């Protein structure tokens, strides 16, 4: 995941960060040593709705939505969030 230019975050079914690449850390304003403390729901409050949508969706392999976030600096960022179902768990 380090060589990918896109920010990638792996989540469990409750939204807990399992893995994250450097680009995603940079985009979210975190350092690698903080990666185990990231609360993705705090950063993206709407993510719970998307996780639920991905879990109940029978006909889609992924859910995609644009999320707008205000950073501490006052800057506004728009993220394209794609939740892909894990073939092992179904979400």
């Amino acid at each position: 995941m380090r060589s990918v230019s896109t920010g990638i975050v792996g989540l469990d079914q409750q939204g807990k960060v399992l893995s994250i690449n450097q680009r995603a850390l940079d985009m979210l304003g975190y350092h690698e040593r903080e990666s185990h403390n990231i609360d993705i729901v705090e950063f993206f409050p709407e993510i719970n709705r998307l996780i639920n949508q991905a879990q109940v969706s029978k006909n889609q392999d992924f859910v995609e939505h644009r999320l707008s976030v205000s950073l501490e600096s006052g800057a506004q960022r728009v993220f394209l969030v794609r939740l892909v179902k894990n073939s092992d768990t179904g979400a």
Side-chain angles (χ1 to χ4, degrees), residues 4-79:
V4 177
S5 63
T6 302
I8 299 174
V9 180
L11 304 174
D12 67 10
Q13 292 180 345
Q14 287 73 43
K16 180 175 172 32
V17 175
L18 298 176
S19 62
I20 186 167
N21 71 352
Q22 188 60 51
R23 180 67 178 131
L25 287 168
D26 294 343
M27 293 168 71
L28 298 174
Y30 287 95
H31 299 286
E32 190 169 353
R33 66 182 177 277
E34 301 170 304
S35 64
H36 65 281
N37 292 327
I38 296 173
D39 181 354
I40 203 74
V41 174
E42 182 179 309
F43 198 85
F44 294 116
E46 296 177 58
I47 202 86
N48 278 331
R49 180 178 57 80
L50 295 178
I51 291 170
N52 290 336
Q53 185 179 349
Q55 288 173 338
V56 300
S57 175
K58 303 288 187 210
N59 300 328
Q60 292 179 301
D61 292 333
F62 67 91
V63 174
E64 188 173 89
H65 190 71
R66 291 186 190 278
L67 298 178
S68 182
V69 175
S70 296
L71 303 177
E72 288 181 9
S73 65
Q76 189 81 4
R77 285 235 173 108
V78 177
F79 293 87

